[in-house]
Amino acid sequence: MIDGRILRTSWWALLWSMCTAALPATAAPRYALTDTATLIPGHTFQAVALNDRGALVGTRGDGHAVIVTPGQGEPIDIGTLPSQSPGFETRPVPAAINNYGQVSGTVYYNTTENDPPVIVRGFLYTPGVGMTDIGLLPTQYLPTTYGVGLNDHGVVLGMSVGGSRWETITFSLGRGLEVLPTALDVQPEGINDRGQILGTLLTNAQQASYIYHRGTVTEIQGAGAVYVYAHDINDRGWVTGGMSRDRVRGQAFLYKPGTGIVDLMAGGANDGFINTGGLALNNRGQVVGSGWTGSDTAGFYFDEETGIVRLSKLVEPADMVGWRLWDAFAINDRGQILAYGLRDGSNQTTVVLLTPVKKAGHDPDHDHHDHHDGRDRGHGHSPRGR
């Protein structure tokens, strides 16, 4: 069972929340584009997540899960779990990376490359420790676990599936595997450094999202919304996702505790989008996601000062030549973004890294680095436990 001690808010988390609350929204930045497939000489690479230090985790062309920090040394191979049966190959699939270099995800076991996975295990990788199996819940059916998210306290958010049994779980090196003590059968979406867990309930009749914290379940509600599907939560408890009032048109939203849901498409300044969904946000309140214009899909950027802007309009023109961008799915506190892209003449989707371009005489990372350095000194905990 999870109690208040497990999900307690640290002194640092409170300080960080107060500091970031004072950060103003800024005008939409300009971005330089890097194809992550080119970051490892001699290999392709597909990034899936990034942390506030600019480290990327993803899968190399040979199937290995690796951490890459552009311009800072060789890739780190995070390894895999031991095979559960002789002759079974393992395939690690990372999902999240925190600011200590820990990674969560899932290892799949295959007899051959073309067979479906028959064994699935969630994992936590910790530098200096290696990869740890997060374990299984007892079930009479073939049990599986999945690593979905990870916070800076080293707490993995995951899912356990066995037959019709589907439960949200957490794991850390300090406490092991635990079940979220709520009857809500939710799809886990994210966990922040305060221990707030984001999940979405999916049934034939309902699609609703919730925040679980210290035994309290809070539904994320919007005026007239029939469906609410949340995708990400930041350390301030802000949430982004998509909602629908008519089950047809989707609208990206930003939820704030005490304020409720704000429709990001309200007011008509939608940059040509008909449908949108928020996929990620950072502690500055910058949101990224994907939208439909009626003719194509495109990624978008949002902050409260700028509104929704098609992502391709913010990339340096020379970098944008020959590219289409959609599904912007991650953004860190530096403002770096991960999005799916397609180069003209290619049918192979890749992941691109968008990095804010520094203005002359100003370093946009300066304030972030100051916060982050103080943040590490005042963390007051080890990522190996909680």
Side-chain angles (χ1 to χ4, degrees):
M1 298 291 285
I2 299 178
D3 58 28
R5 292 172 299 171
I6 298 170
L7 295 179
R8 65 183 181 273
T9 302
S10 69
W11 173 87
W12 170 83
L14 290 172
L15 177 61
W16 177 246
S17 177
M18 289 186 289
C19 289
T20 54
L23 294 175
T26 57
R30 302 293 300 181
Y31 289 96
L33 183 151
T34 302
D35 184 351
T36 66
T38 66
L39 291 178
I40 305 178
H43 290 277
T44 58
F45 174 67
Q46 195 86 316
V48 298
L50 77 170
N51 65 17
D52 293 333
R53 297 183 180 279
L56 310 173
V57 67
T59 303
R60 201 166 57 191
D62 58 4
H64 287 234
V66 296
I67 299 171
V68 178
T69 305
Q72 296 185 29
E74 295 296 316
I76 300 171
D77 190 326
I78 68 173
T80 189
L81 295 174
S83 177
Q84 300 290 310
S85 302
F88 277 56
E89 298 178 354
T90 63
R91 179 168 57 92
V93 178
I97 181 170
N98 69 15
N99 291 317
Y100 291 96
Q102 291 181 293
V103 176
S104 67
T106 306
V107 170
Y108 296 84
Y109 298 79
N110 295 64
T111 52
T112 72
E113 192 171 300
N114 296 320
D115 285 346
V118 295
I119 300 176
V120 182
R121 297 286 190 273
F123 72 81
L124 171 65
Y125 164 82
T126 302
V129 175
M131 192 175 286
T132 303
D133 189 331
I134 71 173
L136 296 169
L137 297 178
T139 174
Q140 61 181 337
Y141 301 100
L142 181 65
T144 61
T145 52
Y146 300 83
V148 175
L150 179 67
N151 68 15
D152 273 355
H153 296 266
V155 181
V156 176
L157 175 67
M159 180 171 61
S160 171
V161 180
S164 60
R165 184 181 179 185
W166 178 357
E167 296 180 275
T168 299
I169 58 174
T170 60
F171 172 88
S172 71
L173 295 179
R175 301 192 64 92
L177 183 66
E178 298 174 301
V179 181
L180 194 71
T182 172
L184 289 176
D185 196 18
V186 299
Q187 164 77 39
E189 295 291 340
I191 182 170
N192 65 17
D193 285 350
R194 295 164 62 184
Q196 294 176 307
I197 292 173
L198 181 66
T200 295
L201 176 66
L202 303 173
T203 69
N204 291 332
Q206 183 183 16
Q207 182 169 302
S209 294
Y210 302 85
I211 297 173
Y212 174 86
H213 190 220
R214 295 182 174 180
T216 299
V217 178
T218 303
E219 183 175 358
I220 300 171
Q221 297 179 319
V226 178
Y227 291 130
V228 174
Y229 198 117
H231 285 289
D232 196 17
I233 184 169
N234 70 12
D235 291 338
R236 300 160 76 175
W238 295 14
V239 173
T240 193
M243 67 176 184
S244 176
R245 293 186 173 93
D246 56 12
R247 305 190 184 194
V248 176
R249 181 172 176 266
Q251 298 135 285
F253 71 81
L254 179 62
Y255 165 87
K256 300 179 184 179
T259 301
I261 280 181
V262 175
D263 179 358
L264 302 192
M265 296 178 69
N270 304 323
D271 204 8
F273 288 110
I274 298 172
N275 295 289
T276 55
L279 298 179
L281 80 165
N282 61 17
N283 287 319
R284 295 179 178 271
Q286 297 169 311
V287 177
V288 294
S290 180
W292 171 250
T293 66
S295 60
D296 68 344
T297 299
F300 74 79
Y301 166 94
F302 169 90
D303 66 45
E304 293 177 316
E305 190 173 290
T306 304
I308 286 181
V309 182
R310 190 186 291 237
L311 196 57
S312 59
K313 293 182 177 180
L314 304 179
V315 178
E316 292 292 289
D319 288 355
M320 196 61 212
V321 173
W323 282 97
R324 290 178 54 205
L325 302 181
W326 61 88
D327 285 3
F329 61 88
I331 182 168
N332 65 13
D333 285 349
R334 293 182 176 184
Q336 292 178 299
I337 295 170
L338 291 179
Y340 289 108
L342 185 68
R343 192 188 290 272
D344 288 349
S346 172
N347 60 1
Q348 184 65 45
T349 301
T350 188
V351 173
V352 299
L353 171 67
L354 304 181
T355 300
V357 177
K358 297 178 181 179
K359 298 178 182 178
H362 175 67
D363 182 353
D365 287 342
H366 178 75
D367 292 340
H368 169 78
H369 286 313
D370 287 346
H371 277 299
H372 200 89
D373 290 342
R375 168 181 182 174
D376 287 346
R377 289 191 296 271
H379 227 291
H381 73 276
S382 164
R384 299 188 180 187
R386 50 176 179 159

